[in-house]
Amino acid sequence: MDAKKNNALSFGAVAARYDRFRPSYPRAAIEWAVGGPPPSRVVDLGAGTGILTRGMIASGYTVTAVEPDPEMRAQLAAATPDRTALAGSAEDIPLPDGSVDAVVAGQAYHWFDPDVAHAEAARVLRPGGYFAAIWNLRDSRERWVAALDRIARSAGDQEHDRPVSFGARFDAVQVREFAHETSLTGAQLVEMMTTRSYYLTAGAAERKRFEAALTELVETHPDLAGRDSFTLPYRTWVYRASTLRS
């Protein structure tokens, strides 16, 4: 198994924690990614534990979740009433040609083989349907979030390349940013940060140093120290393109 795939499949061991602490997505970002309000038939590609799936269901869409990791699929089923995910991947979507209106990847696109994934998304989309990639990125304009990002980078976090094209079967990529936030306690921040792939694939000593640095941040940073809870701001970025009409 190559390193990228190994990292992508590292989340299953912490599926319940991932589902509890990773942020949701703003409804406005979901609607723009899909291309408008419901009704629409949407694929959540690389659905993980179903955080985006549940957001799209709550927004009124008919959602099919597709996820390669069986532990993540099990958590999705446990946390999402009357819903299971199909076993599949961005490179092998188990759906017929032209069967959906949108394909959306939340926090997952950087794990895909892009050329193969683009072709598969185009195959299952109707003409004019949207393919979109969404990321919740911490807003480092806040002082304490910038300090958190420095700790994450020292542990191996890195910025993933954003798509500039989804290939010859799609129109030009459009980009929009949406504001988002979540409320956490100090302990929850540590729990959330230990669902990151660079932590999950690290050795015991590296994990211990990372956890200690996070605890020190929560206990000593002037914006966090002594607070029962605090707001973690995000910038939600959506990259979308529609399939070409014949």
Side-chain angles (χ1 to χ4, degrees):
M1 182 181 294
D2 62 50
K4 183 175 180 180
K5 184 174 290 186
N6 184 54
N7 288 348
L9 296 176
S10 65
F11 302 108
V14 293
R17 188 161 81 236
Y18 185 108
D19 195 54
R20 181 178 177 189
F21 294 116
R22 287 294 187 101
S24 60
Y25 300 87
R27 180 166 183 160
I30 290 172
E31 290 193 354
W32 192 76
V34 173
S40 289
R41 301 159 298 167
V42 185
V43 173
D44 181 2
L45 191 58
T49 63
I51 295 171
L52 178 58
T53 294
R54 292 190 292 275
M56 292 195 292
I57 292 171
S59 297
Y61 297 104
T62 300
V63 184
T64 300
V66 175
E67 167 58 39
D69 189 320
E71 292 175 291
M72 299 292 264
R73 292 199 303 272
Q75 178 61 38
L76 184 150
T80 313
D82 303 317
R83 195 61 51 119
T84 57
L86 300 179
S89 67
E91 298 78 19
D92 185 15
I93 302 173
L95 293 171
D97 295 0
S99 59
V100 299
D101 301 304
V103 176
V104 183
Q107 228 63 26
Y109 177 85
H110 50 278
W111 300 118
F112 301 166
D113 179 337
D115 291 340
V116 181
H118 298 161
E120 271 292 272
R123 179 185 65 79
V124 301
L125 282 165
R126 64 166 174 79
Y130 281 99
F131 180 42
I134 306 179
W135 283 273
N136 280 320
L137 301 180
R138 296 183 298 269
D139 190 347
S140 59
R141 292 174 294 188
E142 289 280 345
R143 291 188 307 166
W144 79 265
V145 180
L148 174 63
D149 282 354
R150 288 193 290 272
I151 293 171
R153 286 195 297 273
S154 71
D157 192 14
Q158 56 186 319
E159 184 72 18
H160 298 289
D161 292 337
R162 301 290 175 251
V164 296
S165 170
F166 289 141
R169 297 181 64 181
F170 288 91
D171 284 330
V173 172
Q174 302 171 299
V175 184
R176 280 191 63 178
E177 176 190 355
F178 301 83
H180 191 37
E181 63 183 28
T182 187
S183 180
L184 296 167
T185 66
Q188 288 172 341
L189 177 67
V190 176
E191 291 275 13
M192 187 266 289
M193 293 300 293
T194 59
T195 67
R196 312 298 302 194
S197 63
Y198 52 82
Y199 172 87
L200 297 172
T201 57
E206 289 81 4
R207 289 188 181 194
K208 187 174 181 180
R209 283 195 292 270
F210 184 58
E211 292 167 13
L214 293 172
T215 299
E216 182 180 8
L217 173 72
V218 169
E219 293 178 348
T220 64
H221 195 284
D223 294 343
L224 303 180
R227 298 180 62 179
D228 292 333
S229 64
F230 44 84
T231 297
L232 173 54
Y234 287 94
R235 303 168 74 183
T236 301
W237 290 93
V238 183
Y239 295 73
R240 76 172 192 188
S242 61
T243 53
L244 298 172
R245 297 178 184 273
S246 56

